[in-house]
Amino acid sequence: MTRIAAVLVTPSMADAAPPGVDPAEFLMAMAEDTYEMAAGLELVEPVILSAGVPGLDAIAWPGTPVLSIGSPSEAFAALPYGTEGVVISGDAPDLPPLLIGKLFRELGRAQITVCPAEGGGAVALAARLPFPDWAVPGFDEPDLVVRLRRQAPGPRMVATGPGWHRLRKPADIARLDPGLEGWDNTRALLS
């Protein structure tokens, strides 16, 4: 079984930069922290998905594919291979790796699993591959889980794991937990 962990990076993620911090640098710091968490997972192959953000090769470890996509809805279709995949929003620099592991575990009983985001949408979305054709992936829809469950052709096809937060606007910086390990690049930029 091949598991893929893809970090999705979009230009709008720079909107979370606090005053006095360069938005492009902030975007890259968040993306790198999220990618390093994904790349550090055992038995998972990392991928970076760029939806219009140049220069992401600079944060990738050697051998990590950096793929360009037109929009976040193309994320799962762009995954090069694998039997299971998770797409992680690049604006979750302090996401605990355990939450990604729980999504993969839930794929044993569901076709899609979601790590819901505070305020709506998803932090991460996992699926058996290829992504089910009855579902349309999304990350910023307020009622994503409800929509996916309505689209499912049967019960128990969409599971949820514990939720987390994303950095979507400067006020969300307060959600970062200084006691959590990781997110070193974002932490250094904010210091």
Side-chain angles (χ1 to χ4, degrees):
M1 174 184 308
T2 303
R3 289 180 166 163
I4 305 294
V7 176
L8 173 64
V9 185
T10 67
S12 65
M13 292 176 180
D15 296 346
V21 174
D22 179 82
E25 285 183 45
F26 188 73
L27 171 64
M28 290 301 275
M30 285 192 308
E32 185 170 4
D33 287 336
T34 307
Y35 164 71
E36 286 182 358
M37 179 278 300
L41 293 169
E42 291 187 28
L43 306 174
V44 174
E45 296 183 28
V47 172
I48 297 175
L49 299 174
S50 171
V53 177
L56 292 171
D57 295 71
I59 66 170
W61 295 358
T64 297
V66 178
L67 308 173
S68 293
I69 60 174
S71 73
S73 65
E74 299 172 16
F76 279 95
L79 296 182
Y81 49 81
T83 52
E84 294 180 346
V86 63
V87 176
I88 306 160
S89 184
D91 57 3
D94 64 339
L95 180 67
L98 178 64
L99 297 185
I100 301 304
K102 288 182 179 209
L103 292 180
F104 279 124
R105 186 178 69 217
E106 288 295 316
L107 289 179
R109 67 177 185 88
Q111 288 186 9
I112 297 175
T113 60
V114 181
C115 173
E118 291 178 7
V123 175
L125 192 62
R128 294 185 209 154
L129 300 176
F131 194 81
D133 57 6
W134 52 261
V136 177
F139 278 86
D140 293 318
E141 292 180 47
D143 298 323
L144 175 65
V145 173
V146 172
R147 180 183 56 78
L148 287 172
R149 286 184 173 152
R150 280 188 193 139
Q151 291 175 332
R156 292 186 232 150
M157 295 186 141
V158 179
T160 58
W164 198 250
H165 53 266
R166 291 173 50 193
L167 305 183
R168 300 181 197 184
K169 56 189 183 296
D172 293 338
I173 303 285
R175 299 287 303 135
L176 293 170
D177 184 347
L180 287 176
E181 291 184 19
W183 66 281
D184 297 336
N185 297 293
T186 307
R187 188 186 319 254
L189 201 56
L190 295 173
S191 299

